[in-house]
Amino acid sequence: MGSSIQLVFGAVPCHYTTTKSYFTRSSSYFSVKNYVKGKWDKDILCEQLKGPVDFQGCLRVQGRGAISRLYSVGKLNRRLETLSCKCQRTESVSQAIVEVGSGKSMNGMSEPSSLQSLEGPKLLNNEKTVITSDDEIAAASEMSDTLQGFGINSIEDEAWNLLRASIVYYCGNPIGTIAANDPSAANILNYDQIFIRDFIPSGMAFLLKGEYDIVRNFILHTLQLQSWEKTMDCHSPGQGLMPASFKVRTVPLDGDDSATEEVLDPDFGEAAIGRVAPVDSGLWWIILLRAYGKFSGDLSVQERVDVQTGIKMILKLCLADGFDMFPTLLVTDGSCMIDRRMGIHGHPLEIQALFYSALLCAREMLVPEEASADLIRALNNRLVALSFHIREYYWIDMRKLNEIYRYTTEEYSYDAVNKFNIYPDQIPPWLVEWMPTTGGYFIGNLQPAHMDFRFFSLGNLWSIISSLATTDQSHAILDLIEAKWEDIVANMPLKICYPALEGEEWQIITGYDPKNTPWSYHNAGAWPTLLWQLTVACIKMNRPEIAENAIKVAERRIARDKWPEYYDTKGARFIGKQARLFQTWSIAGYLVAKLLISNPKAAKKLINVEDSELVNALSNALSANPKKRPRRKLKQSYII
Ligand code: GLC
């Protein structure tokens, strides 16, 4: 585990600026880690700590190991001691904060009374994990029957109760939702953590309900965790990386046996199974930040210097030059929702759709300033190239399939038709039968001499939502979902991908993964959380009835089955082999879908509309070359 020290200032802005603008965090949240990672001179840091710190509220201090190598810890601690808010046992956290601070809780928020008032499976205060006592287990597992028995009649009511019960508090304030609250699970693994990607539907549900504080807190606290020094075998992930998940831990306060403090402990993949890098976390964070502004009307969060810096750090990481030939983001296997080996290394669609969406959202939120001009130029260039690349090379329908079937190979030229040298024999037999006459989709991945023809739901849906797909392509994707309802929706929306890897392919691609056996989990299992993305996409294309039908399918059993994480079998008839019950994003995904169907206008706040400037830039580039090859000078020619 890495070592770090972190300071978190309360909501009242602490006027704490530094001289180096890139790492300046002039408002409430300030992470010393950034100084360490940014190779800041220790004297600058110590000087800053002595400087005019003007704050109120709760200051949290977490110091571990290596800081002593970098700074004179004695000196630093003495300095910090006077500032420290020693959170007592967590049950009295709120009180402690109020006492130490100015009468307000951390972040200036009111205490979470309304959120706590509804009882569901309870979180223990101490570790913020799942319930453990027998009584609580019994109570929780019978909850769904009981709620209905007491006349809390709608599945939605139950879902809200469960969602609220999954809330995790930090220093008395709600900051996220636990991944699963399954009282029957023997091994909790990391399901007791707050996952960035899992919180997105929770956050959306709270935004739709007008409960903004939890989302604001989540955004600001996860920002602090960005580029926290975490290492795997001496290697640190790139600055700007957001963790996959984090946990609120209660630990003894240094030097004081009678007191404890709460600390946030992030996992950037260095503890995750397979050590996968959570590339999607930062992209989701940007998307949620924009949604927060749209729903709450509070643009002050995205305008904060530290938040602007956070956005730029994510963008810099994504836009950094590498060896890659394509505008798509190059990632390792399992870097997104599918966080295990599943043959999605390279340029998987899900990452590209989120990347495109995050670029658009970031562009909307970045405060125009001279210093960001290059970044915004790079961002615009990437948007144009990315949309061209995906629309052109990932798209597949009957016409395109037939074209691939007749491809000439081994073309060495600038104007090759078969640019990636795809051998027609790669077309899998299932696809020849499966491709409907109307409809089409984006393939899962494209690499030199390799097309992954599997249909991945999230990537396709988010391509619609973000307008990465053209209008025609968006309709065609929905046509395909309708035409292939029995494969993609069946008894529970929505298959994560189709079809499953079987036999030798499963052995080689998953590495004999017993969790990802055919038609289970990531290998074509059905994930109810995807319902919300389906709903946004359908509403955007003015075809809400597709989502309504899917919701009806889910309602037949999702609550009765206790909100499983995923379903197995080709027809999604069984609760997944190792599926958690009371999986929060299954609950939240359902709620968001319901809320949007009853208020479709709200979906507008979640989509990216097609950018006419981009379309023009692209068509200019293409019209300059009848063979549809973007001009080589595209980079220079697109002016913002
Ligand atoms: C599984 C999923 C991942 C999710 C996590 C927590 O690992 O693959 O997408 O974030 O569980 O629910």
Side-chain angles (χ1 to χ4, degrees):
M1 188 175 288
S3 315
S4 52
I5 181 163
Q6 179 197 18
L7 311 182
V8 181
F9 289 68
V12 181
C14 56
H15 306 298
Y16 200 95
T17 51
T18 66
T19 46
K20 298 202 177 175
S21 64
Y22 188 67
F23 289 102
T24 295
R25 303 225 168 186
S26 67
S27 41
S28 0
Y29 289 79
F30 166 72
S31 165
V32 169
K33 190 70 257 148
N34 287 328
Y35 286 78
V36 177
K37 295 272 292 186
K39 298 191 178 55
W40 277 61
D41 187 278
K42 87 174 190 195
D43 297 333
I44 296 177
L45 173 65
C46 291
E47 215 30 64
Q48 291 295 337
L49 288 168
K50 283 185 219 144
V53 180
D54 165 17
F55 69 91
Q56 290 174 285
C58 179
L59 169 70
R60 313 247 331 112
V61 181
Q62 183 190 353
R64 288 189 247 158
I67 196 72
S68 56
R69 289 197 308 274
L70 293 159
Y71 311 113
S72 155
V73 151
K75 207 160 103 188
L76 193 61
N77 276 351
R78 273 195 303 281
R79 176 75 200 154
L80 298 176
E81 252 168 28
T82 54
L83 311 176
S84 174
C85 151
K86 293 178 182 171
C87 285
Q88 303 303 309
R89 295 262 161 227
T90 47
E91 53 269 30
S92 57
V93 154
S94 320
Q95 196 191 339
I97 294 166
V98 172
E99 278 166 14
V100 173
S102 61
K104 274 184 179 174
S105 62
M106 189 180 176
N107 303 329
M109 292 174 53
S110 56
E111 294 305 314
S113 53
S114 62
L115 294 174
Q116 283 176 326
S117 61
L118 288 152
E119 292 286 315
K122 276 184 185 155
L123 300 174
L124 286 181
N125 278 331
N126 216 16
E127 272 288 297
K128 299 284 188 280
T129 69
V130 293
I131 52 182
T132 51
S133 87
D134 288 346
D135 287 351
E136 282 171 319
I137 290 171
S141 57
E142 281 164 19
M143 180 178 312
S144 99
D145 301 342
T146 315
L147 286 170
Q148 276 161 26
F150 278 104
I152 301 177
N153 47 19
S154 87
I155 301 176
E156 263 174 281
D157 289 342
E158 177 184 327
W160 271 114
N161 286 315
L162 291 167
L163 181 62
R164 293 189 199 289
S166 74
I167 293 174
V168 177
Y169 294 87
Y170 175 61
C171 279
N173 293 302
I175 52 154
T177 49
I178 198 171
N181 211 350
D182 182 355
S184 64
N187 185 356
I188 56 171
L189 297 173
N190 51 357
Y191 283 85
D192 60 345
Q193 306 211 0
I194 302 166
F195 278 74
I196 308 292
R197 73 175 72 85
D198 292 40
F199 181 73
I200 305 304
S202 298
M204 298 299 181
F206 289 119
L207 291 178
L208 282 158
K209 201 72 170 165
E211 295 172 18
Y212 307 130
D213 288 353
I214 184 171
V215 180
R216 179 179 185 276
N217 292 345
F218 173 87
I219 287 167
L220 293 175
H221 281 291
T222 46
L223 177 68
Q224 285 171 250
L225 302 176
Q226 187 185 34
S227 68
W228 183 285
E229 187 188 292
K230 281 278 189 164
T231 57
M232 189 193 148
D233 301 339
C234 306
H235 179 71
S236 306
Q239 278 217 341
L241 188 72
M242 283 278 182
S245 60
F246 64 98
K247 192 175 164 79
V248 178
R249 285 190 200 282
T250 304
V251 297
L253 193 63
D254 279 350
D256 184 350
D257 290 345
S258 63
T260 59
E261 62 172 344
E262 285 182 298
V263 295
L264 299 181
D265 188 9
D267 177 7
F268 288 86
E270 80 284 357
I273 295 163
R275 305 294 187 258
V276 282
V279 179
D280 62 341
S281 289
L283 307 174
W284 278 123
W285 182 85
I286 289 178
I287 292 166
L288 183 67
L289 174 63
R290 182 224 190 208
Y292 170 81
K294 292 256 177 207
F295 279 97
S296 68
D298 168 17
L299 300 184
S300 70
V301 172
Q302 56 182 253
E303 285 164 1
R304 285 167 56 138
V305 177
D306 55 350
V307 174
Q308 288 281 315
T309 303
I311 299 172
K312 286 182 212 162
M313 281 168 68
I314 297 169
L315 293 180
K316 287 197 173 184
L317 197 57
C318 294
L319 296 172
D321 287 337
F323 289 108
D324 212 17
M325 290 292 292
F326 309 142
T328 34
L329 209 54
L330 178 64
V331 298
T332 51
D333 215 342
S335 59
C336 51
M337 176 184 181
I338 295 179
D339 55 0
R340 290 169 87 87
R341 190 176 153 191
M342 265 296 289
I344 55 161
H345 50 278
H347 306 93
L349 178 67
E350 175 177 333
I351 288 289
Q352 314 314 325
L354 294 176
F355 180 34
Y356 186 78
S357 187
L359 289 179
L360 286 175
C361 294
R363 193 174 63 165
E364 242 177 82
M365 295 186 291
L366 279 175
V367 174
E369 54 176 3
E370 188 70 27
S372 311
D374 284 348
L375 188 66
I376 294 180
R377 197 167 299 117
L379 185 157
N380 277 313
N381 288 330
R382 197 60 173 261
L383 279 170
V384 177
L386 185 60
S387 72
F388 174 80
H389 188 87
I390 298 285
R391 290 172 177 192
E392 189 71 10
Y393 304 128
Y394 278 59
W395 184 252
I396 191 158
D397 55 14
M398 268 307 268
R399 190 195 57 77
K400 185 68 186 287
L401 197 55
N402 207 164
E403 194 182 309
I404 298 171
Y405 181 71
R406 292 163 52 78
Y407 264 167
T408 306
T409 58
E410 315 297 336
E411 293 173 278
Y412 179 83
S413 73
Y414 288 112
D415 299 321
V417 174
N418 181 6
K419 290 194 177 59
F420 306 97
N421 202 32
I422 306 296
Y423 299 105
D425 281 355
Q426 271 178 42
I427 297 175
W430 65 264
L431 185 57
V432 177
E433 302 302 323
W434 196 69
M435 181 63 86
T437 37
T438 52
Y441 66 97
F442 289 128
I443 58 168
N445 208 340
L446 176 69
Q447 320 247 45
H450 173 64
M451 287 178 112
D452 181 345
F453 288 99
R454 282 174 293 170
F455 171 84
F456 286 84
S457 295
L458 179 47
N460 273 284
L461 294 174
W462 211 266
S463 299
I464 299 177
I465 294 165
S466 64
S467 293
L468 175 57
T470 63
T471 306
D472 286 350
Q473 287 172 335
S474 300
H475 277 299
I477 294 168
L478 295 184
D479 288 343
L480 178 119
I481 291 175
E482 277 194 307
K484 296 292 161 188
W485 192 260
E486 283 312 307
D487 292 326
I488 296 173
V489 176
N491 291 292
M492 181 54 69
L494 210 60
K495 283 266 166 42
I496 197 165
C497 63
Y498 182 91
L501 298 170
E502 303 194 67
E504 245 186 12
E505 239 186 345
W506 165 77
Q507 291 174 353
I508 295 167
I509 294 177
T510 72
Y512 293 80
D513 186 346
K515 200 164 176 184
N516 272 335
T517 49
W519 308 106
S520 180
Y521 200 46
H522 300 142
N523 191 6
W527 291 66
T529 186
L530 295 170
L531 203 48
W532 79 272
Q533 283 111 340
L534 174 72
T535 309
V536 182
C538 292
I539 292 175
K540 179 177 182 234
M541 301 316 295
N542 208 12
R543 295 168 71 174
E545 66 287 350
I546 302 176
E548 278 164 17
N549 289 337
I551 292 170
K552 276 185 208 140
V553 173
E555 279 175 338
R556 277 192 226 136
R557 54 187 299 201
I558 191 163
R560 202 186 64 205
D561 289 346
K562 301 188 169 60
W563 308 92
E565 179 186 15
Y566 65 95
Y567 285 77
D568 283 356
T569 75
K570 204 164 180 215
R573 296 184 64 202
F574 291 174
I575 296 171
K577 239 184 309 182
Q578 295 186 41
R580 306 282 139 169
L581 302 180
F582 301 108
Q583 179 82 18
T584 304
W585 69 351
S586 299
I587 296 163
Y590 166 77
L591 278 175
V592 175
K594 289 293 275 189
L595 289 163
L596 288 175
I597 286 295
S598 63
N599 178 17
K601 278 195 189 136
K604 285 218 174 93
K605 296 178 179 159
L606 297 175
I607 64 172
N608 301 108
V609 285
E610 173 127 270
D611 180 332
S612 53
E613 276 180 49
L614 274 187
V615 177
N616 290 341
L618 189 56
S619 67
N620 289 343
L622 294 181
S623 60
N625 183 335
K627 288 202 184 283
K628 288 189 173 180
R629 187 160 56 86
R631 275 185 299 163
R632 296 178 139 221
K633 292 234 161 159
L634 188 60
K635 250 188 175 172
Q636 286 76 28
S637 65
Y638 187 77
I639 313 281
I640 44 150

